Amino acid sequence: GEDVEQSLFLSVREGDSSVINCTYTDSSSTYLYWYKQEPGAGLQLLTYIFSNMDMKQDQRLTVLLNKKDKHLSLRIADTQTGDSAIYFCAESFQGGYQKVTFGIGTKLQVIP
Amino acid sequence: EAEVAQSPRYKITEKSQAVAFWCDPISGHATLYWYRQILGQGPELLVQFQDESVVDDSQLPKDRFSAERLKGVDSTLKIQPAELGDSAMYLCASSRADRDRVNEQFFGPGTRLTVL
């Protein structure tokens, strides 16, 4: 079955790097995503990685995928106070209607 | 920039009353989703539409929830009667229908429902 797990909370100082981790159980996942949710708002896609990739970098964001351990991480370099939000890991499967399953979310708190 | 619109933003109702939420997806997006997000949890899919057809409503409590997308554009989610446990954020999202590409979903701001 589909299950996505994340730690609940992370606190970092402004300027440091943040690393948010996620594990998933379904090895047939095709795409893995990171969404960001600011208070009182909907989710926004930050980045995604295709399952045949190990790493993807996009400006301050680095996504690492370890398929063997079914582990996904999001690294935010030079974390800013505007990065304070909840970050959701999610997975979907190519083909079909691509249902996306979300994790519980990790709340990132950036301390000035 | 095109956005997903939802209304109302906030709704307070008493249990056993009926409530309805509206969503207008991004123009040209064939796929529309309704999610329920309980405080402190991730979004849970209630129903997914492909154009006007329901393709997944396996998690929709059909005894009290209904959803429609009559013309394949905007959509309405209804709860009747509302129960205390329905208090949550109801999110609408839309995406292009392309099974072979990444499923980037665009979310609306949500409707915060409080049932008293």
Side-chain angles (χ1 to χ4, degrees):
Chain A
E2 306 156 356
D3 194 14
V4 179
E5 296 185 355
Q6 302 178 237
S7 53
L8 292 179
F9 188 77
L10 176 66
S11 180
V12 299
R13 293 203 173 275
E14 189 174 19
D16 288 349
S17 292
S18 308
V19 179
I20 303 171
N21 295 299
C22 166
T23 58
Y24 59 98
T25 57
D26 199 321
S27 58
S28 59
S29 296
T30 306
Y31 291 102
L32 294 135
Y33 310 80
W34 285 105
Y35 278 82
K36 176 183 180 182
Q37 186 178 34
E38 296 183 357
L43 281 69
Q44 176 189 10
L45 180 65
L46 278 180
T47 186
Y48 66 92
I49 189 167
F50 193 55
S51 60
N52 67 355
M53 299 170 63
D54 298 323
M55 184 183 83
K56 180 179 180 181
Q57 189 155 359
D58 184 1
Q59 299 182 331
R60 294 190 298 121
L61 306 178
T62 303
V63 179
L64 295 178
L65 176 60
N66 181 329
K67 287 197 71 175
K68 174 177 173 292
D69 296 335
K70 298 177 187 165
H71 182 265
L72 182 74
S73 67
L74 174 69
R75 178 178 181 269
I76 305 173
D78 187 24
T79 311
Q80 303 297 306
T81 54
D83 295 323
S84 294
I86 300 175
Y87 291 80
F88 292 92
C89 172
E91 62 178 352
S92 71
F93 314 91
Q94 188 172 12
Y97 290 104
Q98 284 212 43
K99 177 182 177 179
V100 177
T101 300
F102 290 86
I104 196 171
T106 299
K107 184 174 183 178
L108 174 64
Q109 179 187 49
V110 182
I111 303 168
Chain B
E1 183 174 292
E3 295 180 342
V4 175
Q6 287 188 250
S7 67
R9 291 293 310 276
Y10 304 92
K11 179 69 177 178
I12 300 174
T13 191
E14 294 183 344
K15 63 180 181 180
S16 80
Q17 297 298 303
V19 293
F21 313 132
W22 177 80
C23 172
D24 191 12
I26 292 172
S27 177
H29 280 191
T31 311
L32 185 147
Y33 313 80
W34 282 103
Y35 290 92
R36 176 172 58 189
Q37 186 180 21
I38 295 170
L39 191 63
Q41 297 185 21
E44 173 196 21
L45 181 67
L46 292 175
V47 61
Q48 179 176 345
F49 289 93
Q50 188 72 19
D51 298 308
E52 67 276 8
S53 300
V54 173
V55 297
D56 187 345
D57 63 357
S58 57
Q59 300 302 311
L60 188 71
K62 299 181 187 64
D63 56 335
R64 297 185 301 107
F65 286 63
S66 64
E68 60 184 15
R69 192 184 184 198
L70 293 176
K71 297 181 180 179
V73 181
D74 59 338
S75 175
T76 302
L77 178 70
K78 297 179 181 177
I79 308 174
Q80 183 174 17
E83 295 181 353
L84 295 177
D86 296 333
S87 294
M89 175 79 87
Y90 289 83
L91 295 166
C92 179
S94 69
S95 69
R96 296 188 183 279
D98 188 338
R99 300 182 184 187
D100 298 324
R101 293 178 60 84
V102 62
N103 184 4
E104 180 175 5
Q105 297 186 24
F106 294 83
F107 283 79
T111 296
R112 169 72 67 187
L113 173 66
T114 301
V115 183
L116 303 176

